[in-house]
Amino acid sequence: MRQFDRDDRPDTLPFGENEYFARNVLNGVGRQFLDGSHDIVLGKPSIAELSGDEACKAASNLIEAATKTTLLIKPPSGIGGGIDCALVGRETRFLAR
């Protein structure tokens, strides 16, 4: 488990097919499908400076880019898929995409 504080810098924590994702999506042919929203998130000085909509847009784009990349480079197992965004805290709230 990893815990984040509002003062921490934003980060991306992929799970499942991490090596494929790093090599082929973030640093390979899949970059063509990234819209810059992930870079905006990583450029924020703290999580407190990041809106839920910005985080949802970036996460959704990363998943969509991974899905499109699988059409070009077959992954070892499943990657991509459906997308739902939620703010998790005292009360979980689902965000519209």
Side-chain angles (χ1 to χ4, degrees), residues 14 17-31 34 69 73-76 79:
E17 295 297 354
N18 294 6
E19 186 177 321
Y20 175 93
F21 183 76
R23 181 184 306 127
N24 298 301
V25 180
L26 293 179
N27 299 301
V29 69
R31 284 199 64 75
L34 298 177
T69 301
I73 302 170
K74 184 172 173 43
I79 189 171

Side-chain angles (χ1 to χ4, degrees), residues 2-11 44-50:
R2 181 165 173 195
Q3 185 171 339
F4 290 92
D5 186 57
R6 292 180 51 80
D7 295 328
D8 291 338
R9 290 191 61 88
D11 196 4
K44 298 285 182 173
S46 69
I47 292 171
E49 301 287 325
L50 181 64

